[in-house]
Amino acid sequence: MSAILPPPERVWWKQPLDRVELLWIVIALAWCLVMFFMMPYWHIYGAQNLANEAYRSKPADYAKKAEEMIAKYKVREEGEMKVPVVRPPAGSDVYLIAQRWRWHPMLELEAGKSYRVHLMSMDWLHGFSLQPENINIQVHPGYEHVVTLTPTAPGTYSIICNEYCGVNHHTMASRLYVVK
Ligand code: CUA
């Protein structure tokens, strides 16, 4: 049969199913079902899942909480832009602002301790990407994402924006320090 010419039998769906066609339908369906059930399975048993929560709140309120935290726990400033570096106590709430085109402030966390890291955008969609760990979270305005994070290995990690957010998207990068 050709795809260009009309079929000899116009009512083609009444023709018997070819064995090969049936085999492929069964394979495709079985694979769909495997993937479908892997989603809930992996959500429960997958070790890579983030422990995150999300709340609605206003960017202005969020910025206020972040500035309060920065004033309280700032340990130094970095670079020409004088980016504040904060070292909040273990177990505390940590606020990171995404705003075109910066992450504010820089964080310094202790290895082996847990933190509640909050994320929100002040303007539009940004993407939190922690490298080289490959943790990715969309950062929206009006939604506060809270990720319970326990850094395990000391080092300097990169935070980059992985959602295109305008002309300076490529400059939206920061650091996360994990210290002993
Ligand atoms: Cu922010 Cu791209």
Side-chain angles (χ1 to χ4, degrees), residues 25-38:
I25 289 170
V26 170
I27 291 170
L29 179 68
W31 185 239
C32 281
L33 292 173
V34 168
M35 290 197 292
F36 179 80
F37 288 108
M38 278 308 281

Side-chain angles (χ1 to χ4, degrees), residues 59 66 96 100 104 110 136 159 165 169 173:
L96 184 58
R100 58 184 195 271
H104 182 79
E110 222 179 303
N136 298 285
I159 296 171
C165 56
H169 158 70

Side-chain angles (χ1 to χ4, degrees), residues 124-140:
W124 51 52
L125 185 65
H126 298 282
F128 173 91
S129 176
L130 185 70
Q131 299 296 337
E133 292 302 308
N134 201 20
I135 290 173
N136 298 285
I137 302 156
Q138 282 195 330
V139 188
H140 299 262

Side-chain angles (χ1 to χ4, degrees), residues 98-103 124-127 161-166 168-170 172:
Q99 189 171 29
R100 58 184 195 271
W101 290 275
R102 63 172 189 166
W103 297 100
W124 51 52
L125 185 65
H126 298 282
C161 180
N162 65 358
E163 294 281 357
Y164 181 72
C165 56
N168 283 328
H169 158 70
H170 63 286
M172 194 167 162

